[in-house]
Amino acid sequence: MLHLILAALILVQSSKDVTSSPLREADDATQDDWITKVLNYMESNPETLEELMTEDFAVMEGDIMLLNDRNAVESVWPSRAIPFTISPELESRKQVILSAMDMVSEHTCVSFHRRTSETNYLTFGTSKGCASYVGFIGGEQLVYVGSQCMMGNIVHEIMHALGFHHEHTRNDRDQYITVLHHNIMEGKERNFKKQNGETFGLDYNAASIMHYGGGFFSDNGLPTIVSKEEVMNMGQRKKMTDSDVQRVRLLYSCDPPKKTGRN
């Protein structure tokens, strides 16, 4: 997609000094088509933009920030009450960020509050796309919110920050989806690599807010992921599913352990 963005820009530049003609009109139509495709992709897949628009190899799977120590083990936050700050540049996005945190908190024991003097906290900052580290890293921990990032995208990044990987990277994913490698952008195949993550024994969920959409990192506009079962909302960013909520509750021990035996 990065080469599509560049192609669109080249088309714009090359058309500036061409006089009006049937060929010029055809070129304009082609240019408009490319630009429309680019804009539609950017709007639909903002979680891929940080990697695509920076070519930053410290980012993988589009929106996962990597530490210098790439072997670092992700961990849960030491407290279920997580402090946060919002960059002044995101003042106009404050309400949607707060709503995203509310969605995570509504049915879990994880909560968010304005930072006072805490050492470890989330900072929502500006960037080209949506991105986050996975799990607790300590100190000021950035969650990036680009102009295209809507509430569901921000929830997705908060889930990363809490310690969750993408659903499509589960080791059992081949039972449920097919990755169409021939449609993936060159050099972005690593974003579809399986990861060793905790599943808690929960069923695979293509409708999870943590699942890729079908067109992520498509080189040709065709799907990169298709479900083996009928799924109308694969990669949706509207809400946390029941299994998304359950994962948070299990990872952060929201429910007291069941008592066994006699008191």
Side-chain angles (χ1 to χ4, degrees):
M1 179 49 65
L2 184 61
H3 70 270
L4 291 181
I5 296 173
L6 294 175
L9 294 175
I10 291 170
L11 281 168
V12 171
Q13 184 63 37
S14 64
S15 66
K16 286 183 178 178
D17 299 322
V18 179
T19 57
S20 179
S21 68
L23 287 177
R24 167 67 187 278
E25 291 176 4
D27 286 343
D28 284 348
T30 302
Q31 170 188 318
D32 290 344
D33 184 50
W34 277 111
I35 293 175
T36 299
K37 288 181 179 178
V38 170
L39 293 177
N40 286 342
Y41 182 93
M42 292 175 68
E43 182 177 354
S44 301
N45 308 297
E47 292 152 20
T48 66
L49 298 183
E50 189 67 26
E51 180 178 349
L52 287 174
M53 298 185 73
T54 63
E55 287 293 283
D56 191 346
F57 285 94
V59 181
M60 68 176 292
E61 296 178 27
D63 66 332
I64 293 179
M65 308 297 294
L66 300 176
L67 297 169
N68 290 332
D69 176 6
R70 296 192 180 194
N71 293 320
V73 177
E74 298 88 3
S75 61
V76 299
W77 282 71
S79 171
R80 299 168 182 163
I82 300 175
F84 73 90
T85 65
I86 298 176
S87 169
E89 288 83 2
L90 288 172
E91 179 62 28
S92 64
R93 307 295 308 284
K94 181 174 70 174
Q95 191 54 54
V96 72
I97 294 171
L98 294 175
S99 295
M101 287 187 279
D102 287 344
M103 184 183 291
V104 176
S105 296
E106 184 178 6
H107 299 296
T108 74
C109 59
V110 175
S111 63
F112 302 89
H113 63 273
R114 293 280 184 176
R115 179 199 179 220
T116 53
S117 59
E118 294 91 344
T119 302
N120 304 316
Y121 59 100
L122 292 176
T123 290
F124 293 89
T126 59
S127 191
K128 296 180 178 66
C130 329
S132 175
Y133 296 96
V134 175
F136 172 74
I137 64 172
E140 180 184 30
Q141 181 167 332
L142 282 164
V143 176
Y144 294 101
V145 180
S147 60
Q148 304 287 336
C149 305
M150 300 295 101
M151 183 173 71
N153 305 119
I154 300 170
V155 171
H156 178 99
E157 301 309 332
I158 293 172
M159 291 284 283
H160 276 318
L162 291 179
F164 296 98
H165 287 275
H166 288 128
E167 183 80 349
H168 79 280
T169 63
R170 281 175 51 151
N171 275 318
D172 61 349
R173 61 110 182 268
D174 292 337
Q175 301 175 48
Y176 307 97
I177 62 169
T178 300
V179 176
L180 303 177
H181 295 278
H182 56 281
N183 291 334
I184 298 172
M185 297 175 194
E186 183 178 356
K188 303 305 178 185
E189 297 85 357
R190 66 175 185 159
N191 296 334
F192 296 81
K193 183 179 178 180
K194 296 176 186 177
Q195 305 286 344
N196 290 319
E198 175 61 71
T199 67
F200 298 105
L202 296 172
D203 291 340
Y204 188 92
N205 185 4
S208 166
I209 204 165
M210 300 307 294
H211 201 287
Y212 263 14
F216 274 37
F217 292 105
S218 174
D219 189 50
N220 51 19
L222 297 175
T224 53
I225 296 177
V226 294
S227 175
K228 293 184 177 181
E229 299 177 354
E230 185 175 355
V231 178
M232 300 301 296
N233 52 354
M234 184 170 70
Q236 60 83 26
R237 296 294 182 265
K238 299 295 184 183
K239 65 177 183 178
M240 291 174 65
T241 64
D242 290 344
S243 63
D244 292 327
V245 170
Q246 187 67 3
R247 286 185 179 93
V248 177
R249 296 187 67 85
L250 287 167
L251 185 61
Y252 282 86
S253 302
C254 292
D255 301 312
K258 294 181 180 179
K259 292 183 180 180
T260 59
R262 298 181 180 179
N263 292 331

